[in-house]
Amino acid sequence: MAKEEYAIGLDLGGTKILAGLVDRTGRLIARKQLPTHAEEGEKAVIERVLSATHDVLSASGIHPEKVRGVGIASAGVINSDSGEVIFASNLGWRNVPIGTLIGQRFGLSVRLFNDANAAAIAEWLWGAGVGTRNMIYVTVSTGVGAGIVSDGRLVLGRDGSAGEFGHISIDWNGPPCRCGNRGCLENYASGTAIESAASHKFASMKKLVTERILVEKGELTAKEISEAARAGDPFFTQIVKQAGFYLGVGAANLIYLFNPEVLVFGGGVMNASALLLPEIEKSMRDRCIPGLANEVRVVTSQIGVEAGVMGAAGGIFENPYCKN
């Protein structure tokens, strides 16, 4: 490496704040994770973000002059130019200038990314999308989102909010979504959707559910449902596979729109990839012209849970809006 350069990546989520110091090769030098505790309010969360940033700098032993900047990955609607989180339902934030606050505290340039876009950058630079010019990263967790690389450029839209894949409508007569639309993909294929489907079916089909999976508080989480499915429980297997079917329906639309070389699926729900990926591929290929679908590789994330941090930092090193 001709010159030592580093960047800080921050992944700002509804349950955790993850900070990392990353070098140009994609090596994670230091990391710090803190709970978000969004219920404590905006100021408390911001202080945790600042604390996590300080801690990775201190732990790394890297002089701040070698740090090029800070990249932030956040869910919700953002303004990448102003570094402002316009709206994030998982945090309860509206119009929070997080980029300015971090820049003022540490004297570093700051760039804000949608979390799916940040993860796409990580896969593009160092993961499953290396060497491609047309790649789509789909995150499947509490919600569903996408980061789209088309002809060597990250697709941002007018203000950085492109890729709201979870809010394409796949059933215009479907249930209302929190976004105001109806029948959104997110209502059928996210972790939240899996939990909802299990809860509704469980109410009328208790005898089919593996008793050891039920939690004491009487609720089912997507993680527990996926674990039960992987263990072979037929009730939960059906629910997880159904989510894969709907993700494949959405993936077919992405192929028609963007003609990618590779589709990368990541996020917590994809821990059940052995069940999900075959369903995604089958549903996708059933709905696509073979000449298009057969040229697309469908894979899981190589970067994993640190994709947001890595990609946010990677967006400081590279201009993700035009990679030649």
Side-chain angles (χ1 to χ4, degrees):
M1 189 165 54
K3 180 182 178 183
E4 283 189 345
E5 286 188 316
Y6 304 88
I8 295 171
L10 288 167
D11 189 354
L12 180 54
T15 58
K16 72 177 187 299
I17 298 161
L18 183 60
L21 188 81
V22 180
D23 71 12
R24 260 195 176 275
T25 68
R27 186 168 59 106
L28 190 62
I29 308 296
R31 74 192 298 277
K32 176 72 175 183
Q33 181 173 317
L34 294 173
T36 306
H37 290 314
E39 72 280 359
E40 294 182 6
E42 175 187 315
K43 289 184 178 179
V45 173
I46 290 170
E47 281 305 314
R48 288 191 186 91
V49 172
L50 295 172
S51 175
T53 305
H54 175 270
D55 288 351
V56 294
L57 270 172
S58 298
S60 69
I62 301 297
H63 195 283
E65 287 184 358
K66 293 183 178 180
V67 179
R68 286 192 55 178
V70 180
I72 307 169
S74 174
V77 179
I78 64 162
N79 187 314
S80 54
D81 291 332
S82 66
E84 184 176 12
V85 176
I86 306 300
F87 173 68
S89 59
N90 62 337
L91 298 171
W93 281 12
R94 288 185 182 273
N95 304 116
V96 177
I98 186 68
T100 300
L101 296 171
I102 291 176
Q104 289 175 344
R105 176 69 67 92
F106 296 100
L108 294 168
S109 64
V110 181
R111 181 176 285 171
L112 183 61
F113 301 94
N114 170 274
D115 56 353
N117 284 338
I121 294 169
E123 294 291 343
W124 190 26
L125 293 177
W126 301 304
V130 170
T132 67
R133 291 184 63 82
N134 297 276
M135 180 208 83
I136 300 175
Y137 174 88
V138 176
T139 178
V140 190
S141 54
T142 303
V144 177
I148 301 159
V149 176
S150 181
D151 196 24
R153 295 173 181 264
L154 184 67
V155 177
L156 295 176
R158 179 175 57 84
D159 58 11
S161 295
E164 286 292 344
F165 178 50
H167 295 292
I168 64 169
S169 181
I170 60 171
D171 181 2
W172 54 87
N173 292 316
C177 179
R178 60 188 174 87
C179 74
N181 196 4
R182 299 187 72 91
C184 291
L185 177 63
E186 197 167 281
N187 286 356
Y188 299 89
S190 64
T192 304
I194 288 172
E195 292 167 5
S196 177
S199 296
H200 281 95
K201 288 191 176 182
F202 173 61
S204 58
M205 302 174 68
K206 289 184 180 180
K207 63 181 180 179
L208 296 180
V209 182
T210 306
E211 291 182 3
R212 67 181 176 80
I213 298 300
L214 299 180
V215 292
E216 292 181 2
K217 61 183 178 179
E219 296 177 354
L220 296 165
T221 68
K223 180 180 178 182
E224 290 157 347
I225 293 164
S226 296
E227 288 174 354
R230 292 200 302 272
D233 186 285
F235 175 83
F236 291 122
T237 297
Q238 180 186 13
I239 290 171
V240 172
K241 284 186 173 182
Q242 180 176 271
F245 166 83
Y246 285 117
L247 285 169
V249 172
N253 291 329
L254 290 176
I255 289 171
Y256 279 123
L257 285 170
F258 296 102
N259 190 24
E261 299 158 60
V262 59
L263 281 172
V264 184
F265 284 85
V269 172
M270 291 307 298
N271 288 332
S273 62
L275 289 171
L276 281 167
L277 218 59
E279 295 298 318
I280 292 170
E281 285 210 64
K282 182 179 185 306
S283 178
M284 177 195 82
R285 297 190 192 285
D286 284 348
R287 284 158 182 77
C288 266
I289 297 170
L292 289 176
N294 292 343
E295 298 300 316
V296 181
R297 289 187 294 117
V298 181
V299 299
T300 53
S301 166
Q302 288 185 9
I303 305 294
V305 296
E306 289 161 344
V309 163
M310 300 291 289
I316 299 297
F317 296 130
E318 302 282 349
N319 181 355
Y321 316 125
C322 182
K323 184 188 174 200
N324 296 317

